[in-house]
Each structure stands twice: as structure tokens, then as C-alpha cells.
Amino acid sequence: MADAPHPTTDLTWLRLSMDWRWHRPKRRADLPKGEPRHDERPVKCELGDERFGAPADALPFADRSIDEIDCGHVFAYVRNDEGLARELARVVRQNGRVRLSVPATGLLAGLDAYNLHRYLVDVSGRGLRPFETAEIGWRRHFGIEDLRLLFPESEWTITRLERTGLAIDQAVRLGGFVGFRWLRPSRDRYRRAKRWADQIETKERRLTTPFGFWLELELVRTAT
């Protein structure tokens, strides 16, 4: 993904996500199979009709130029989460909003399909670790204390904090990993299982529960 020039339009809404095409499993002479590549995967920025990649700690936007940012699941995968949090604090306008969703610490954290599949590959010595988590090796889980370190109270106010989901989607996702990425690899069958898991996840995240798998957060930038 090529670098984009610094946009000059009046920015209001930005969506951040990971570009999974950036890190497909590749054989490299200087890296063990499945290990992260040395260069850091960029964050994909979606601004209107524009799509481009940028380093997590160097977003190509002016200070206080964006009203709302939807981070999706980025913080669970990005290598430099602290750098990204600092960049959000820089580019969001006063009273601007940031929304994010991350796997939570707690009772259901051990059911994470990506991390369980990583364990399976490491123990069995077979297959590739999930390329989705190749940036840091695992999928991160956060508690509210972890998020407060990234978004301190002196700069941000939490306006929404919920735990959602029962990790049913993780069971379906793990079945896809084991069946079609480890036991009998099949791209088409894995994609079908992934679609089912994604659909279940969407429905599950409408269910609020004190011990939910997901931590949903909305913050307002209060510092001037």
C-alpha cells in the first residue's frame, strides 16, 4: 500500500483498520517460519473515498483536525499501541470522539481463537501461526486499567464502557482454524467458517454482559 500525500481537505471522520494483505505468511531466510517481519505493518486509513496506509505513530493528519475516529479492533493487533494512542490524542479535536473495541481480560479471555491456534501450532510443530496476529505474535486483551494508561483521565473522558459477547464466535473461529488452516488446509472452507464467525460476532456484540469477551469504549477528547 503506497503512502498517501497529506490530505488538505477538512477532515471530520476517520476509520482505522489493519490491512491483512500486508503480512501474508512468507518464507524469509533471516526469520523463523511464522515470526513477525522486521518492518512494522501500517494502519489502514479510510477517509471518505481515500484508502492509504500510515505508520501507527505517524498518522498523516494535522493537529486537532479530526472530529471522530473509529478504531475498530486495531489496538488488539497493532505493534505500537502507545504510539497510536499518542497520535489519536494529537489529531482529534477538542470534544472529538474515539471509538474502539478490544478483547477484554477476564473470564473469557482464554477462549481467544487466534491465541489458541497459536498455541496449537507451537505445540504441534505443524502449520503457520495466524498471520492476523503476526505483528506482535498474539492478540492483545485489555482491562480498563490498560486503556486508562493509553487514554489518561487528564486528556480523555469515557462516555461509553461496556463488555459484550459470550465468545461463541471464538469457538466457531477456532473450528475454522483447526479444520481448515491446520488439519486440512482449505482457503474456501476457512473463509466460509470465518464468515459464520463474523456474523455471530456481530450479533453477540449487541449483548451486554458483565464478563463479556469484548470491551467497547467511546472516549471524548477533553484536553485543549
Side-chain angles (χ1 to χ4, degrees), residues 95-198:
N95 297 321
R97 296 180 181 273
V98 169
R99 290 182 293 273
L100 58 98
S101 177
V102 292
T105 57
L107 184 64
L108 300 180
L111 302 179
D112 190 305
Y114 291 96
N115 295 342
L116 288 174
H117 182 61
R118 161 72 187 261
Y119 283 126
L120 175 62
V121 170
D122 287 355
V123 170
S124 67
R126 171 181 177 177
L128 287 174
R129 299 165 180 170
F131 68 81
E132 293 91 340
T133 60
E135 190 71 6
I136 55 177
W138 306 94
R139 183 159 69 166
R140 284 194 189 94
H141 286 247
F142 293 82
I144 185 57
E145 299 82 6
D146 303 314
L147 293 170
R148 269 305 184 196
L149 291 174
L150 295 173
F151 302 98
E153 291 183 81
S154 59
E155 300 179 5
W156 300 89
T157 296
I158 296 177
T159 57
R160 180 190 173 217
L161 175 61
E162 295 179 343
R163 293 187 69 141
T164 64
L166 297 173
I168 298 172
D169 66 300
Q170 297 301 305
V172 176
R173 205 175 299 277
L174 182 61
F177 277 136
V178 174
F180 309 123
R181 276 196 182 179
W182 182 78
L183 188 61
R184 299 188 65 181
S186 169
R187 179 176 297 181
D188 290 341
R189 290 182 179 180
Y190 170 73
R191 286 177 174 173
R192 192 177 306 127
K194 181 181 182 301
R195 282 196 298 269
W196 292 342
D198 290 344

Side-chain angles (χ1 to χ4, degrees), residues 85-101:
R86 288 193 297 269
E87 279 296 274
L88 297 184
R90 180 184 66 80
V91 304
V92 173
R93 291 171 177 156
Q94 187 177 14
N95 297 321
R97 296 180 181 273
V98 169
R99 290 182 293 273
L100 58 98
S101 177

Side-chain angles (χ1 to χ4, degrees), residues 44-55:
K44 183 167 70 173
C45 304
E46 299 180 49
L47 179 67
D49 294 332
E50 296 182 88
R51 306 287 188 275
F52 53 89

Side-chain angles (χ1 to χ4, degrees), residues 9-27:
T9 55
D10 183 28
L11 309 178
T12 57
W13 183 86
L14 172 68
R15 177 178 174 80
L16 302 179
S17 59
M18 303 304 295
D19 184 0
W20 302 129
R21 297 170 301 175
W22 175 257
H23 194 301
R24 296 294 182 180
K26 294 180 175 65
R27 295 187 180 279

